[in-house]
Amino acid sequence: MEEKLAVKVNALDVLDKQLASRARRNQYGIIVLSSATDPYLQIEKQTQLTRQILELILKHRFPVHIITKSDLVVRDFDLLKQIKEKAILPPDLEGKVSPVLITFSFSSIDPFITNIFEPGATPPAQRLDALSAALDHEFQAGVSLMPLLPFISDTGEHLIQLFETFQAKKVKYIFPATLTLFGEDKADSKTLMLRAVEKHYPHLLQKYHTFFEQSTEMPAYYKEAFYKKMRELCKQYGLKDRI
């Protein structure tokens, strides 16, 4: 996905105006960076667009939730500490949540699997180091296991490895979720995922075709069993499944 990017060069001007308007009306809420595109893609090292966005968030005193597969967030701990001190939480969240949340996203911590399905992303070992650093700096930091890959990274052995690792890190929360796939074009997630499964896990290809032939989500029976297992693991390892 990093081979072809569109940079929102006017983002700072637009955001500054929008946040100023919200702040004047005392409409504070948590800004998420980012649920659709990672705010710390490699190009951020040159553009520093995310850092400048954080400077605006600090200026207008908004809380922030960062979701990333990158360790580059460590670069911005200085700004995030200031946001943590100065941000204004909405009244219903005061005393319940930190003004800065940092969530590291994993679909696996196995380098073989991540090399296949997350090419270009920061290796999981470096992400784990960044997670430790965030916790050491007393940020409210946790993990997004989104998506766990059916029959690849949701196996019993793999789940034990994941939960033991995050328990040892003392993460503040963990969000497991299963796979959703969209689109038939060559750059769409469904096409890319099925191509990778065909190449590296050909014995699973028919299962994936069956699951996603008529739907963007896994079947209801799978999701029910999946979330039941996740609740059991969270309880077993003493991990919160929510912020």
Side-chain angles (χ1 to χ4, degrees):
M1 293 301 188
E2 290 198 43
E3 294 175 4
K4 187 176 181 181
L5 294 171
V7 179
K8 296 180 179 180
V9 294
N10 67 332
L12 299 174
D13 290 339
V14 173
L15 184 63
D16 195 17
K17 293 174 183 175
Q18 290 183 343
L19 294 187
S21 174
R22 294 281 184 175
R24 280 195 303 270
R25 290 177 283 172
N26 201 33
Q27 294 177 337
Y28 289 94
I30 297 174
I31 299 172
V32 181
L33 300 178
S34 167
S35 59
T37 302
D38 198 305
Y40 289 103
L41 296 174
Q42 294 299 319
I43 196 173
E44 168 61 17
K45 293 175 182 177
Q46 286 77 49
T47 65
Q48 298 203 25
L49 185 60
T50 294
R51 183 168 179 85
Q52 294 175 83
I53 285 171
L54 288 174
E55 289 171 345
L56 287 176
I57 289 172
L58 171 61
K59 171 186 170 182
H60 296 289
R61 303 181 66 187
F62 276 77
V64 66
H65 181 183
I66 291 174
I67 306 173
T68 183
K69 288 183 180 292
S70 175
D71 60 348
L72 187 56
V73 64
V74 174
R75 178 200 67 186
D76 294 336
F77 278 3
D78 59 331
L79 287 174
L80 293 171
K81 285 181 179 179
Q82 294 180 66
I83 293 171
K84 183 180 175 183
E85 293 172 359
K86 298 178 180 179
I88 299 171
L89 283 165
D92 60 327
L93 292 180
E94 287 182 5
K96 297 180 180 178
V97 66
S98 171
V100 173
L101 303 162
I102 306 175
T103 301
F104 291 88
S105 179
F106 298 85
S107 57
S108 170
I109 57 173
D110 184 312
F112 175 79
I113 295 174
T114 56
N115 283 341
I116 295 170
F117 296 102
E118 299 176 354
T122 301
Q126 290 173 232
R127 264 178 270 170
L128 289 170
D129 288 343
L131 171 60
S132 294
L135 292 165
D136 288 343
H137 281 78
E138 298 184 343
F139 289 115
Q140 189 170 353
V143 167
S144 166
L145 286 178
M146 297 187 186
L148 287 170
L149 308 176
F151 307 103
I152 297 172
S153 64
D154 72 345
T155 64
E157 180 181 1
H158 205 91
L159 290 173
I160 290 171
Q161 180 191 28
L162 289 167
F163 277 80
E164 285 183 347
T165 298
F166 298 128
Q167 181 192 48
K169 296 284 183 186
K170 295 184 170 65
V171 300
K172 302 301 182 184
Y173 53 85
I174 187 167
F175 302 142
T178 189
L179 186 63
T180 301
L181 295 178
F182 294 92
E184 304 291 342
D185 292 339
K186 63 180 182 179
D188 288 337
S189 62
K190 181 179 177 180
T191 303
L192 294 171
M193 184 71 185
L194 292 179
R195 186 186 305 157
V197 170
E198 181 178 20
K199 182 177 180 180
H200 298 281
Y201 297 89
H203 62 290
L204 296 177
L205 183 61
Q206 186 54 54
K207 285 186 176 181
Y208 272 74
H209 274 297
T210 301
F211 291 145
F212 295 103
E213 190 172 22
Q214 302 294 332
S215 177
T216 60
E217 300 181 355
M218 291 292 288
Y221 71 85
Y222 173 94
K223 291 194 291 183
E224 183 178 347
F226 176 90
Y227 288 111
K228 181 176 183 290
K229 181 65 174 178
M230 295 306 122
R231 289 192 296 270
E232 291 172 353
L233 286 169
C234 285
K235 184 176 181 180
Q236 177 182 344
Y237 288 93
L239 296 170
K240 294 181 179 179
D241 62 357
R242 65 193 67 197
I243 295 175

